[in-house]
């Protein structure tokens, strides 16, 4: 039997077949989960509907996480399909493109700081707040982070600060929701060539560096991340909460280049 059979999972953040969320959706579908997908803009609606069909789902709902009323509307509509459900994948992040280049102190602005934290960090707990009453015991909430939350990554700038906030969010949410049997975790994924990542200056060079520097001498794939996400959302991971799990081919453990002499 597939280890997600009988589980109902809401997945946010799919934009294309390169999206980490798409890899997660594929892995969960293979393991028997029933899926619901969201989209932000109408221009993505038909694309997400096509993906949903591939995943044997016809539940495609709009949500703009920058607005509480949109989040509330999402879960009110989801109740028609999933009166209760078992998991949420939060794969949403945003920073204005002009923030992902140059010196952090000189570049960051008050508005950009607020916007980046609102979309990239607050939206996770906001979604948890409004779906809490719908979550079954042994449910899993999972978000996506990056090593820039704890170490300086050139040009990652305010997004790194927001990811640090997101990881703290995970710990506080895990403590808050744990008595209800709800687990909250994050995956710290290695860099992947997604639409969102393309806005980071010198991203291609970053991929090459990670490939040469990581113990496995390769970059991570959306399939790698999807498989771990499926595990963390299953009952096999019932003892794991408040954690940040690295899926980056070991890059995070390295202090020097492998060929250092």
């Amino acid at each position: 039997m597939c280890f997600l059979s009988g589980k109902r999972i809401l997945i946010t953040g799919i934009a294309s077949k390169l999206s980490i969320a798409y890899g997660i959706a594929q892995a969960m579908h293979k393991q028997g989960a029933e899926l619901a997908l969201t989209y932000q803009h109408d221009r993505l609606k038909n694309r997400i509907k096509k993906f949903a069909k591939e995943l044997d789902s016809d539940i495609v709902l709009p949500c703009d996480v920058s607005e509480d009323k949109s989040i509330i509307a999402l879960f009110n509509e989801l109740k028609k399909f999933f009166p209760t459900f078992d998991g949420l994948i939060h794969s949403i992040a945003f920073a204005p493109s002009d923030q992902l280049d140059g010196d952090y102190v000189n570049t960051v602005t008050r508005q950009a700081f607020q916007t980046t934290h609102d979309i990239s960090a607050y939206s996770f707990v906001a979604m948890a707040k409004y779906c809490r009453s719908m979550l079954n015991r042994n449910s899993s909430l999972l978000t996506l982070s990056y090593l820039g939350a704890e170490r300086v990554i050139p040009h990652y700038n305010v997004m790194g600060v927001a990811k640090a906030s997101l990881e703290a969010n995970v710990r506080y949410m895990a403590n808050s929701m744990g008595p209800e049997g709800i687990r909250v975790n994050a995956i710290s994924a290695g860099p992947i060539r997604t639409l969102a990542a393309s806005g980071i200056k010198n991203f291609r060079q970053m991929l090459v560096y990670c490939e040469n520097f990581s113990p496995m001498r390769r970059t991570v794939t959306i399939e790698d991340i999807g498989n771990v996400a499926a595990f963390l959302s299953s009952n096999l991971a019932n003892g794991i909460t408040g954690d940040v799990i690295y899926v980056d081919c070991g890059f995070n453990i390295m202090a020097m280049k492998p060929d250092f002499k």
Side-chain angles (χ1 to χ4, degrees):
M1 178 181 288
C2 298
F3 60 72
L4 287 176
S5 293
K7 295 283 190 182
R8 292 173 165 180
I9 310 290
L10 175 65
I11 299 182
T12 70
I14 298 179
S16 75
K17 287 193 173 183
L18 299 176
S19 298
I20 291 174
Y22 182 78
I24 292 173
Q26 284 190 309
M28 291 188 159
H29 177 247
K30 288 178 183 177
Q31 292 302 328
E34 296 179 60
L35 302 178
L37 310 181
T38 71
Y39 64 92
Q40 180 185 3
H41 301 296
D42 284 342
R43 61 184 172 80
L44 289 175
K45 183 177 181 179
N46 289 336
R47 182 188 302 175
I48 304 306
K49 280 189 171 182
K50 180 180 178 181
F51 293 156
K53 186 176 181 180
E54 295 172 3
L55 299 164
D56 297 322
S57 173
D58 58 1
I59 309 172
V60 177
L61 303 172
C63 184
D64 180 347
V65 296
S66 67
E67 299 181 358
D68 285 344
K69 65 180 181 180
S70 182
I71 299 174
I72 293 169
L74 164 67
F75 291 116
N76 284 338
E77 189 65 21
L78 184 63
K79 284 179 183 178
K80 299 175 183 178
F81 304 95
F82 294 170
T84 62
F85 66 107
D86 306 284
L88 166 68
I89 302 300
H90 174 270
S91 184
I92 297 172
F94 172 78
S97 60
D98 63 358
Q99 297 294 299
L100 301 177
D101 184 8
D103 180 272
Y104 169 63
V105 174
N106 290 340
T107 299
V108 70
T109 65
R110 184 182 301 276
Q111 183 60 51
F113 190 96
Q114 292 172 343
T115 299
T116 305
H117 280 73
D118 182 30
I119 303 301
S120 307
Y122 177 72
S123 64
F124 187 37
V125 71
M127 296 191 82
K129 180 192 297 287
Y130 293 119
C131 75
R132 191 172 192 170
S133 64
M134 297 173 62
L135 294 171
N136 294 318
R137 192 164 186 87
N138 295 329
S139 288
S140 166
L141 307 182
L142 183 64
T143 190
L144 277 298
S145 189
Y146 177 54
L147 189 62
E150 59 180 280
R151 301 186 191 181
V152 175
I153 304 294
H155 310 297
Y156 202 55
N157 291 354
V158 72
M159 184 59 79
V161 184
K163 289 295 188 183
S165 174
L166 179 66
E167 291 187 6
N169 227 359
V170 166
R171 292 184 284 273
Y172 279 90
M173 289 167 64
N175 180 62
S176 179
M177 305 179 83
E180 300 155 45
I182 299 169
R183 298 178 297 105
V184 186
N185 292 291
I187 288 175
S188 183
I192 292 180
R193 189 178 286 110
T194 63
L195 291 176
S198 65
I200 302 172
K201 185 178 180 181
N202 297 332
F203 184 75
R204 184 167 298 182
Q205 291 93 319
M206 184 188 299
L207 286 174
V208 172
Y209 184 82
C210 288
E211 182 176 354
N212 293 331
F213 194 70
S214 71
M216 298 183 73
R217 304 299 191 274
R218 69 174 178 88
T219 54
V220 73
T221 67
I222 61 172
E223 289 79 16
D224 293 328
I225 299 167
N227 289 333
V228 176
F231 161 71
L232 287 172
S233 299
S234 76
N235 290 349
L236 295 172
N238 275 352
I240 302 174
T241 194
D243 276 344
V244 178
I245 309 297
Y246 294 96
V247 185
D248 62 358
C249 294
F251 181 83
N252 73 93
I253 71 170
M254 301 299 292
M256 296 183 180
K257 291 183 178 181
D259 60 355
F260 178 79
K261 295 179 182 179

